[in-house]
Amino acid sequence: MAALQVLFVCTGNICRSPSAEAVLRQRLETAGLDAQIHVDSAGTHAYHTGDSPSELALRSGVKRGYDLTALRARQVTPEDFETFDVISAMDQGHLEILRQLCPPDYLQRIQLFMEHAPQPLQGQDVPDPYYGGPEDYERTLDLIEEGMGGLIKHLRSRL
């Protein structure tokens, strides 16, 4: 069992959160931390349960060396709040939904993904690229990569 469990959450779990999952998995592997930290992703809604990440998310990931092909969308479950040590919302809307769903004992586990990002990005939302084009998916990955360093630093401090 991993020492820490991290869950990324967006709306349908086919764009932002699986992209963040793939980025963190790769960075943990590079840092030799993949055995200590388990990573998953989920959506606040069941729109795409069982589906692969969106085609543009897959393509954007491949261009940067991230493999999202094995990932499948799922919805956040009540058990996730107990299981995951860090539940990272991709935007303020997800943060609010998670806080409403979460039992009070686990509220401290929920955070905004960009909370650990450097200024001036700290605390921003990662915008939803779903209705956009390839450039929107590239921007999503830019933000995820920018925010990931701070999240990894935070996770290391908890190991």
Side-chain angles (χ1 to χ4, degrees):
M1 178 90 141
L4 273 178
Q5 306 241 17
V6 179
L7 181 68
F8 293 105
V9 179
C10 69
T11 305
N13 191 216
I14 60 166
C15 300
R16 294 172 282 180
S17 57
S19 295
E21 178 182 351
V23 171
L24 182 56
R25 281 180 189 267
Q26 185 186 71
R27 293 207 179 166
L28 291 174
E29 190 175 319
T30 300
L33 296 171
D34 52 319
Q36 296 174 284
I37 301 173
H38 170 77
V39 187
D40 198 359
S41 61
T44 56
H45 295 76
Y47 301 140
H48 302 283
T49 298
D51 293 349
S52 298
S54 74
E55 187 60 37
L56 288 173
L58 289 166
R59 277 194 236 149
S60 295
V62 165
K63 281 171 55 176
R64 298 191 193 197
Y66 305 120
D67 183 9
L68 286 75
T69 56
L71 304 181
R72 295 293 176 267
R74 71 177 187 86
Q75 187 176 16
V76 171
T77 66
E79 295 78 27
D80 287 336
F81 296 105
E82 184 177 348
T83 301
F84 289 91
D85 304 293
V86 175
I87 302 170
S88 195
M90 300 310 285
D91 70 27
Q92 291 289 336
H94 305 129
L95 189 67
E96 288 310 311
I97 290 169
L98 290 168
R99 286 179 176 157
Q100 290 170 11
L101 295 173
C102 185
D105 289 350
Y106 303 114
L107 281 170
Q108 77 283 0
R109 297 177 179 202
I110 301 171
Q111 63 178 22
L112 184 66
F113 170 70
M114 295 297 281
E115 178 181 309
H116 301 289
Q119 289 294 350
L121 298 173
Q122 192 172 60
Q124 288 188 15
D125 287 350
V126 176
D128 190 351
Y130 185 69
Y131 294 104
E135 67 282 355
D136 297 296
Y137 284 82
E138 293 299 324
R139 178 69 180 138
T140 293
L141 274 175
D142 289 344
L143 289 170
I144 289 169
E145 289 175 343
E146 284 289 328
M148 203 58 75
L151 177 60
I152 291 172
K153 185 176 180 180
H154 171 72
L155 296 174
R156 278 183 190 270
S157 75
R158 296 194 49 191
L159 288 175

